[in-house]
């Protein structure tokens, strides 16, 4: 019975996703979805409550599939010792491509309320944090990890929404990359020896590995974390 319910749910979500992708949100009617999935309309109400609940399920399904692929890429990049900044750039470009290819779903998931209750959206943020963490471990960040995550996420969301608000023929193909480069200039340290941001980058890198310093007690790690967070916050150029 559980398997049958799951199969029915998957058929409905697939039918709604197809309508949403091909014809837009107005095409996702109970009747159209029911016909596409080969079920009775009451089944949709029983499983999803209403159209909004169905759209949430579709967005979650598409996002979960996309995030799972992103997580696998991050794991492969870590194993293959891919440059963390280039891996971050690849993730940025993939997000821009996903957003512009799935405009309706992206707008749905950009709604703060939906994002807060979306497991896939939270997992996507965790993938971004993993990418940023690799940059921190490499000694390349001159802001705290969470600040870097927030800047990248905000810029990425803004870039996609700006592109979506522009007719495809008028879109600036370099807009997203230019914006990402601007963010990188704010969050990355100079790689030259004895660069001005060297001490700050070192503090961020040490903060990144602090949880793994097993030779310290829990209290010592907590105190070190507090000191480093304070130093990073005070020295970060973004907060000056």
């Amino acid at each position: 019975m559980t398997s049958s319910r799951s199969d029915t749910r998957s058929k409905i979500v697939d039918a709604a996703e197809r309508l949403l992708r091909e014809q837009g949100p107005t095409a996702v009617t109970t009747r159209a979805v029911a016909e596409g999935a080969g079920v009775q309309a009451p089944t949709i109400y029983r499983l999803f409550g209403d159209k909004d609940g169905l759209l949430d399920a579709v967005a979650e399904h598409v996002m979960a599939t996309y995030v799972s692929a992103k997580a696998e890429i991050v794991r492969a990049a870590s194993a293959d010792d891919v440059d963390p900044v280039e891996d971050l750039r690849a993730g940025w470009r993939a997000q821009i491509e996903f957003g512009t290819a799935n405009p309706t779903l992206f707008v749905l998931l950009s709604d703060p309320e939906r994002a807060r209750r979306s497991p896939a959206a939270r997992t996507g943020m965790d993938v971004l944090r993993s990418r940023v963490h690799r940059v921190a471990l490499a000694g390349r960040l001159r802001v705290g990890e969470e600040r870097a995550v927030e800047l990248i996420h905000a810029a990425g969301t803004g870039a996609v929404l700006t592109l979506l608000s522009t007719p495809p023929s008028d879109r600036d193909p370099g807009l997203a990359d230019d914006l990402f480069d601007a963010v990188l200039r704010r969050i990355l340290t100079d790689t030259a020896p004895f660069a001005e941001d060297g001490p700050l980058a070192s503090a961020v890198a040490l903060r990144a590995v602090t949880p793994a310093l097993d030779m310290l007690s829990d209290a010592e790690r907590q105190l070190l974390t507090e000191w480093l967070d304070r130093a990073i916050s005070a020295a970060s150029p973004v907060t000056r």
Side-chain angles (χ1 to χ4, degrees):
M1 181 66 70
T2 301
S3 177
S4 177
R5 178 186 176 92
S6 177
D7 290 344
T8 300
R9 194 177 192 280
S10 295
K11 288 179 181 178
I12 293 172
V13 170
D14 288 343
E17 179 192 342
R18 186 166 56 252
L19 286 167
L20 188 66
R21 184 177 61 253
E22 296 175 354
Q23 303 178 43
T26 57
V28 187
T29 64
T30 301
R31 179 177 178 179
V33 173
E35 289 178 355
V39 301
Q40 298 296 315
T43 303
I44 296 177
Y45 291 112
R46 186 172 67 251
L47 291 176
F48 302 97
D50 54 20
K51 179 179 176 178
D52 199 51
L54 177 56
L55 287 175
D56 277 344
V58 171
E60 190 68 18
H61 169 69
V62 175
M63 188 67 175
T65 301
Y66 169 66
V67 167
S68 177
K70 284 206 305 181
E72 183 58 38
I73 290 172
V74 171
R75 283 192 289 270
S78 299
D80 294 341
D81 204 24
V82 174
D83 179 82
V85 176
E86 289 308 308
D87 179 48
L88 190 61
R89 185 182 295 277
W92 168 275
R93 288 176 172 165
Q95 181 72 2
I96 300 299
E97 290 172 2
F98 173 83
T100 53
N102 300 273
T104 303
L105 290 175
F106 188 86
V107 170
L108 283 174
L109 288 166
S110 296
D111 174 23
E113 184 57 36
R114 288 180 189 272
R116 277 193 291 270
R117 65 175 186 258
S118 166
R122 291 194 294 272
T123 301
M125 288 297 292
D126 288 341
V127 172
L128 175 56
R129 288 188 178 93
S130 295
R131 282 187 154 115
V132 170
H133 185 64
R134 291 188 65 232
V135 177
L137 289 174
R140 297 294 309 279
L141 279 186
R142 61 170 176 155
V143 300
E145 289 184 52
E146 197 59 30
R147 174 55 66 90
V149 168
E150 290 170 352
L151 286 170
I152 295 168
H153 176 66
T157 300
V160 173
L161 293 177
T162 298
L163 290 170
L164 293 180
S165 68
T166 307
S169 60
D170 295 335
R171 291 175 186 172
D172 178 357
L175 174 68
D177 280 345
D178 285 350
L179 182 55
F180 186 64
D181 287 339
V183 172
L184 289 185
R185 284 194 293 271
R186 296 295 284 172
I187 68 174
L188 293 185
T189 182
D190 193 330
T191 57
F194 309 110
E196 178 184 351
D197 295 311
L200 179 54
S202 297
V204 174
L206 179 56
R207 172 65 177 81
V209 301
T210 295
L213 298 179
D214 294 335
M215 70 290 297
L216 301 179
S217 68
D218 290 343
E220 289 169 336
R221 284 195 298 271
Q222 182 177 349
L223 183 58
L224 179 57
T225 297
E226 291 176 359
W227 285 344
L228 290 170
D229 283 344
R230 191 184 310 166
I232 293 167
S233 177
S236 171
V238 178
T239 58
R240 287 174 187 163

